[in-house]
Amino acid sequence: MGTQKPSSSSSSTWLKWLGFVTAVWVQSISGNNYTFSNYSDSLKTLMSLTQLQLNTLSVAKDVGKAFGILAGLASDRFPTPLILLIGSLEGLISYGLQFLVVNQSIKPLPYSLMCVVLCMGGNSTTWMNTAVLVTCFRNFKRNRGPVSGILKGYIGLSTAIFTDLCSSLFASDPASFLILLAVVPAVVCSTAMIFLRESPPSDGGDDAKDDEDEETRYFGAFNVVSVIIALYLLAYDVSGEHGRVLSRVFASVLLVLLASPLAVPAYVFVRSRWSPSRRRSSGSDAEEPLLVEAEAEVVVVDQGGENEEEEIKVVGKRMIGEDHTIIEAIRTVDFWVLFVSFLCGVGSGLAVMNNMGQMGLAMGYSDVSVFVSLTSIGGFFGRIGSGTLSEYSIRKAAVPRPLWNAVSQIVMAIGYVVMAIAIPGSLYIGSVVVGVCYGIRLAVSVPVASELFGLKYYGLIYNILILNLPLGSFLFSGLLAGLLYDSQATHIPGGGNTCVGAHCYRLVFVIMSFACLLGFGLDLLLTYRTKNIYLKIYESKKSRKQGTGKLRVKG
């Protein structure tokens, strides 16, 4: 007998983790859509815009996400590299044109055309995010919370990464900043096209348990690295002015930290070579509904001293937790409760992010980049923490994941009240609170949708859910913040307007706090309606940990 070779599934495990690293890099640069505040004032000045017109541009940027439905449809039909290619090219064109305008290489484009250009930039991120989330959820379906937290967390950091790199290398020049937004995502996506592929997990039993335990440890390593990066960015932001040499050193160390997750696939590769006998099943359960695991376990019955296996057959109409088409999903109450509560959280959060530059100027701050970075870093900690902790709470106590959304909504409402009162330092407090709660909302809602409606058509369901981003941006940023700001502002000779003082946004904050209270109530309702689902998920994870999770489902 010859020496057995490692299975193809075992030898490809390190490639799956290498793909996850490139997914992290894509998310590190795909939050460019949140950086509008860093160059919006330049567009406002060059194009002589009112605040309402500027906010409409930011809405156009977010409306691009509405066309993410195309990315969702494509994700079920085309390979991941093609989805990434479309997103990167679209972003290159959008931010490249914005650079030419801000750099005054060309005359400002007509206002309607600029809306289209920003819409393209917003849409580019939906292709990147869809490709990354759908592929990684299918590759790591038993750890959706950590996957969502890590990937969404790096999106939260991306604003700070771009902002701090630009300030350290180019002294926060808006034109240079836009060059980064155009070129860097195209380069990173080109790398991900090579390595990010679907790699089916093992099909159950002891291998599945070992995979889940391994994944948990590796995701812990990713969490540690991401927290180090976040703290490093925070230290740079709060440490005041930096000289040219120190700024260059900062940028170099940041790039090394972003490359450090490569240690995980390298470790897995070396380990697979040293332990060739380790096997993994090549079966795929990527399309298996999550709750079938809980309801289709083998039950061992003792009858007259003999153990006979009674195989439970899953019957009946489609339940929450199984794979839903988009039509089946939107016919459920749970989908719309999740949709509207999501709107309340992300809509108000986007209003703050899109208007942070003007909010800082209104409160008397000349440099508002620190608030943009604080919101970004706060968003990271909200995403990374809620992704991991919500998964842990399900495994330990069957706590429904939507409960985390409810907590974030009530805290966000308090943050808006603090900013409305305008106590000293309120903008610092508010930017962090809004960032954290916005991050929780995104990181938790993404796996909730997959757990309620399955992974088979998840790309489209996800993009329907994030229609809340353009809708929320239009309602809260374009209409609410834009109209109320203009009602308080004074006109400037030659075009445009300005407003200085706490009164500029006070009513905006008050209204958004009430919206968050509505979202809080809806999230509590969803928590109640899904408690049995998460109890079944808890029981499934518990049985698999105890080694009793064999599945035999009759079709």
Side-chain angles (χ1 to χ4, degrees):
M1 293 179 63
T3 303
Q4 288 184 320
K5 295 181 180 180
S7 68
S8 60
S9 177
S10 176
S11 62
S12 66
T13 301
W14 73 276
L15 288 173
K16 179 175 74 171
W17 285 104
L18 181 58
F20 186 74
V21 172
T22 62
V24 165
W25 291 343
V26 170
Q27 298 300 77
S28 298
I29 51 83
S30 63
N32 47 18
N33 200 41
Y34 296 112
T35 62
F36 184 67
S37 293
N38 284 333
Y39 61 90
S40 60
D41 198 54
S42 296
L43 287 178
K44 184 178 182 180
T45 302
L46 283 170
M47 300 179 68
S48 300
L49 304 176
T50 65
Q51 188 61 36
L52 180 59
Q53 290 174 318
L54 183 66
N55 282 8
T56 302
L57 277 183
S58 73
V59 170
K61 162 183 66 69
D62 294 322
V63 164
K65 294 183 175 67
F67 297 98
I69 294 175
L70 299 176
L73 290 169
S75 69
D76 295 329
R77 294 167 174 80
F78 301 108
T80 299
L82 180 59
I83 308 299
L84 288 169
L85 177 63
I86 294 172
S88 61
L89 288 178
E90 199 173 11
L92 181 65
I93 294 171
S94 171
Y95 292 104
L97 286 173
Q98 292 179 67
F99 159 74
L100 294 175
V101 171
V102 171
N103 195 49
Q104 300 185 46
S105 298
I106 62 174
K107 293 182 178 180
L109 302 175
Y111 183 77
S112 58
L113 184 55
M114 279 299 294
C115 287
V116 174
V117 169
L118 268 80
C119 182
M120 288 179 61
N123 183 248
S124 69
T125 64
T126 67
W127 292 85
M128 299 178 199
N129 293 341
T130 299
V132 163
L133 284 170
V134 171
T135 304
C136 290
F137 268 19
R138 289 174 177 169
N139 285 351
F140 304 98
K141 70 183 293 280
R142 299 185 184 97
N143 281 284
R144 301 183 202 185
V147 168
S148 175
I150 292 168
L151 295 180
K152 289 294 184 181
Y154 273 97
I155 290 183
L157 282 182
S158 64
T159 303
I161 290 171
F162 274 124
T163 301
D164 290 347
L165 278 178
C166 184
S167 64
S168 62
L169 297 176
F170 309 111
S172 299
D173 175 54
S176 300
F177 185 76
L178 283 164
I179 275 290
L180 286 180
L181 296 183
V183 175
V184 173
V187 173
V188 172
C189 285
S190 297
T191 303
M193 288 176 210
I194 302 172
F195 299 107
L196 186 58
R197 297 286 192 279
E198 244 183 74
S199 178
S202 57
D203 60 353
D206 292 336
D207 284 343
K209 177 180 178 296
D210 292 341
D211 284 347
E212 187 171 349
D213 291 341
E214 270 192 1
E215 287 177 6
T216 300
R217 290 195 296 272
Y218 295 150
F219 285 133
F222 277 96
N223 282 334
V224 170
V225 171
S226 62
V227 169
I228 292 173
I229 293 174
L231 293 176
Y232 182 64
L233 291 168
L234 182 62
Y236 181 80
D237 288 333
V238 301
S239 56
E241 297 294 328
H242 309 87
R244 182 177 180 181
V245 174
L246 187 60
S247 296
R248 297 296 171 89
V249 171
F250 159 81
S252 300
V253 174
L254 178 59
L255 293 176
V256 172
L257 288 174
L258 289 171
S260 62
L262 284 170
V264 170
Y267 172 79
V268 175
F269 174 79
V270 172
R271 187 183 179 194
S272 68
R273 290 299 179 268
W274 279 95
S275 303
S277 62
R278 182 176 175 84
R279 296 284 188 267
R280 281 178 174 80
S281 171
S282 60
S284 172
D285 62 353
E287 295 185 355
E288 177 187 330
L290 185 63
L291 295 186
V292 170
E293 295 180 15
E295 298 190 359
E297 294 173 4
V298 173
V299 178
V300 179
V301 183
D302 190 1
Q303 294 181 343
E306 295 182 358
N307 288 337
E308 296 182 0
E309 291 184 347
E310 178 184 331
E311 297 178 344
I312 299 177
K313 182 179 180 181
V314 179
V315 296
K317 64 179 182 180
R318 192 179 304 280
M319 301 181 300
I320 292 295
E322 296 181 343
D323 288 323
H324 286 61
T325 65
I326 187 58
I327 299 300
E328 291 169 336
I330 64 177
R331 287 176 177 174
T332 65
V333 173
D334 301 282
F335 179 87
W336 291 109
V337 172
L338 177 62
F339 187 90
V340 177
S341 68
F342 192 61
L343 172 64
C344 294
V346 299
S348 59
L350 277 173
V352 173
M353 294 179 185
N354 289 338
N355 291 275
M356 185 58 74
Q358 283 66 45
M359 288 177 180
L361 294 174
M363 297 296 289
Y365 296 97
S366 57
D367 183 9
V368 298
S369 62
V370 64
F371 300 116
V372 176
S373 292
L374 286 175
T375 303
S376 174
I377 295 171
F380 161 77
F381 282 109
R383 298 171 206 225
I384 202 83
S386 62
T388 300
L389 291 176
S390 65
E391 191 76 25
Y392 178 82
S393 64
I394 292 173
R395 293 181 180 180
K396 295 299 180 181
V399 176
R401 213 186 293 268
L403 184 61
W404 291 84
N405 281 336
V407 173
S408 72
Q409 292 280 57
I410 198 69
V411 175
M412 184 180 273
I414 295 172
Y416 291 142
V417 171
V418 170
M419 288 193 282
I421 296 174
I423 61 176
S426 62
L427 203 55
Y428 286 95
I429 298 171
S431 60
V432 173
V433 168
V434 170
V436 169
C437 294
Y438 183 86
I440 293 173
R441 181 84 247 185
L442 283 176
V444 172
S445 298
V446 168
V448 166
S450 73
E451 287 157 349
L452 298 187
F453 308 112
L455 284 173
K456 187 173 183 180
Y457 304 102
Y458 178 70
L460 183 56
I461 290 174
Y462 166 74
N463 280 286
I464 292 292
L465 184 62
I466 65 170
L467 285 175
N468 277 299
L469 296 178
L471 179 60
S473 179
F474 171 72
L475 294 176
F476 290 94
S477 182
L479 290 183
L480 182 66
L483 289 173
L484 292 182
Y485 179 95
D486 283 345
S487 69
Q488 301 291 329
T490 56
H491 292 280
I492 299 174
N497 59 15
T498 187
C499 182
V500 178
H503 65 284
C504 299
Y505 286 99
R506 178 170 288 125
L507 186 56
V508 175
F509 293 135
V510 171
I511 294 174
M512 291 195 302
S513 67
F514 278 106
C516 286
L517 291 177
L518 172 61
F520 170 71
L522 291 172
D523 285 322
L524 286 183
L525 174 61
L526 190 61
T527 299
Y528 175 77
R529 290 178 60 88
T530 60
K531 62 181 181 180
N532 291 332
I533 296 173
Y534 285 97
L535 180 60
K536 292 177 181 179
I537 295 175
Y538 161 77
E539 291 170 346
S540 173
K541 291 178 181 291
K542 184 178 179 180
S543 66
R544 187 162 54 241
K545 185 175 182 181
Q546 294 172 345
T548 61
K550 285 188 178 181
L551 302 179
R552 294 188 183 179
V553 182
K554 291 182 178 179

